[in-house]
Amino acid sequence: MGRVARGDHAAFEEVYDQVAGQVYGLVLRVLRNPAQSEEVAQDVLVEVWRSAARYDPSKGSARAWVMTVAHRRAVDRVRSAQAAATREERVARLDVRRPFDEVADSVERTLDVERLRRCLNGLTELQRESVTFAYYEGYTYREVAELLKVPLATVKTRMRDGLIRMRDCLGVER
Amino acid sequence: MTGAGGYDPHRLAGAYALDAMDDDLERLRFEEHLRTCDECAQEVRGLTETAARLGQAVAAEPPPGMRAAVLAEIGQVRQLPPTVGVPPGGRRLSRRGGAAWWPRVTAGLAAAGVAASVALGAVAVRTQDELERVRADDRGVVAVLAAPDARTVSATAGRGATGTAVVSRSQGRLVFVSSGLAALPPSQTYQLWRIAPGAIRSAGLLRPDDSGRVPPVIVDTAGVEQVGVTVEPAGGSAQPTTRPMLLLDLTSA
């Protein structure tokens, strides 16, 4: 990333090859629409180039930084596409699809994913749903609370303790 | 640790790491808190890293043309400088080993930009440098956005232009932000107006960036009932010469 920050195109290509699939996959997971996802993923990757000098390794891995930018952009797109009025409607007509199952089905080939699946399975149902609806569907905690019919405070807490449990299960460095 | 109004920032780390906060004021408060709570910043770091793993798990083959398109585009994109410079007309603030790394922080400070796009459902992403400029230029923006009595008023115009004012009566000020403003020819400018009964005063010219966004403008609210944006001849006018394209009524705020 240091070389990218110094304007090294070859270094950026290496970074691109490592993260593009993850960026596109995440954006697609949240947005569902391939054309929109391509546009957003492209923006994200250009932003990585543009802001590379602002990435601070002491604050986390480069990959997490890129993925955070990608998630943020995808979620912004989802939310901007939903006018305030239609958001309630959206929550109201949410299907009860379980995002986690879908995810597990599509990617259970690799060991990492297998591990992620195992860790997700180690969460309580409410933790798992709070985390995955927020992350994969781009729902706010308010929407998740509405969807799952639980108090806001509970959802906030489950998001936090669910992620903490995931962190520990995955052995993410602190 | 529970802050004013039963606000407990510590509980929010998960929602924050998942981009699941929809209340920008709450998020802004949380980010302010992060800057002073190392333990919380560390927790957010670990949870953000964990969330990224969830993202990695759903990798998919990007469309074939994307690589070439991105590589072509970066050839035309200027990179941001590595350090926080002194912004034009601004002052350098020492920043506590800051959390500026996180895009969320970026988006939040720029929530400085758009505290209330919540109402619009449109949360603009601001670039880090803009945010840093915002921060350095005036912490007053944050004071207004984080004020307990902050209220939001929004208006939209054709083709996606939006204006949002976050009004704090206790601060006697509002923060105006706008996005989606179309580029104007050099002979014209956008101008912001404070509208009080019987008196309209300029609140400055608005200069949208390439993406049509205007950095936050602080406006004194004394006696002001509306704020509006008009298109004026370059250099601005003493009084509006065209109908406002955006008009925000503050009386209900």
Side-chain angles (χ1 to χ4, degrees), chain A residues 70-84:
Chain A
H71 192 256
R72 159 102 240 115
R73 288 285 175 101
V75 162
D76 281 350
R77 177 62 74 95
V78 163
R79 293 183 192 162
S80 68
Q82 310 282 342

Side-chain angles (χ1 to χ4, degrees), chain A residues 59 64-65 67-68 135 163 167 172, chain B residues 13 16-18 41-54 101-104:
Chain A
K59 303 292 194 294
W65 176 63
M67 294 306 276
T68 309
Y135 195 75
L163 269 186
R167 177 193 72 195
V172 170
Chain B
Y16 182 83
L18 292 166
Q42 192 188 350
E43 178 173 294
V44 165
R45 194 147 61 230
L47 298 188
T48 303
E49 204 81 37
T50 304
R53 299 286 187 92
L54 291 168
W101 172 87
W102 290 295
R104 174 50 91 187

Side-chain angles (χ1 to χ4, degrees), chain B:
Chain B
M1 195 177 93
T2 300
Y7 164 70
D8 177 5
H10 298 131
R11 197 190 273 168
L12 288 167
Y16 182 83
L18 292 166
D19 288 323
M21 285 159 86
D22 64 356
D23 178 336
D24 281 335
L25 293 177
E26 184 179 40
R27 183 164 63 219
L28 199 70
R29 284 191 194 140
F30 182 72
E31 284 166 359
E32 287 297 309
H33 176 71
L34 272 188
R35 295 174 56 244
T36 58
C37 172
D38 288 341
E39 203 181 316
C40 310
Q42 192 188 350
E43 178 173 294
V44 165
R45 194 147 61 230
L47 298 188
T48 303
E49 204 81 37
T50 304
R53 299 286 187 92
L54 291 168
Q56 286 167 242
V58 292
E61 187 67 33
M66 195 171 98
R67 191 175 195 275
V70 169
L71 295 181
E73 200 176 337
I74 65 162
Q76 300 169 25
V77 172
R78 195 181 144 76
Q79 289 182 296
L80 294 174
T83 51
V84 182
V86 180
R91 59 198 184 280
R92 188 192 294 270
L93 291 186
S94 65
R95 302 198 312 137
R96 218 174 162 285
W101 172 87
W102 290 295
R104 174 50 91 187
V105 170
T106 303
L109 290 178
V114 191
S117 353
V118 168
L120 305 171
V123 178
V125 176
R126 300 217 151 221
T127 59
Q128 184 121 357
D129 53 337
E130 283 176 287
L131 293 170
E132 279 156 359
R133 197 160 56 231
V134 166
R135 172 168 293 270
D137 275 356
D138 202 334
R139 296 188 63 83
V141 171
V142 173
V144 171
L145 298 186
D149 66 339
R151 296 285 178 275
T152 299
V153 184
S154 294
T156 58
R159 286 179 300 173
T162 65
T164 299
V166 180
V167 186
S168 166
R169 296 293 179 195
S170 67
Q171 301 277 323
R173 302 208 272 187
L174 65 82
V175 172
F176 177 84
V177 294
S178 191
S179 62
L181 293 179
L184 292 175
S187 60
Q188 293 182 325
T189 182
Y190 291 104
Q191 190 163 3
L192 180 66
W193 303 95
R194 309 167 60 218
I195 303 168
I200 302 180
R201 294 212 171 81
S202 174
L205 304 183
L206 303 176
R207 295 185 181 80
D209 62 16
D210 293 344
S211 56
R213 294 187 204 114
V214 175
V217 180
I218 297 188
V219 179
D220 194 336
T221 55
V224 174
E225 293 191 347
Q226 292 176 308
V227 290
V229 175
T230 61
V231 175
E232 299 295 333
S237 305
Q239 288 288 305
T241 63
T242 61
R243 273 190 61 210
M245 54 174 292
L246 287 168
L247 195 59
L248 280 66
D249 187 355
L250 310 183
T251 51
S252 59

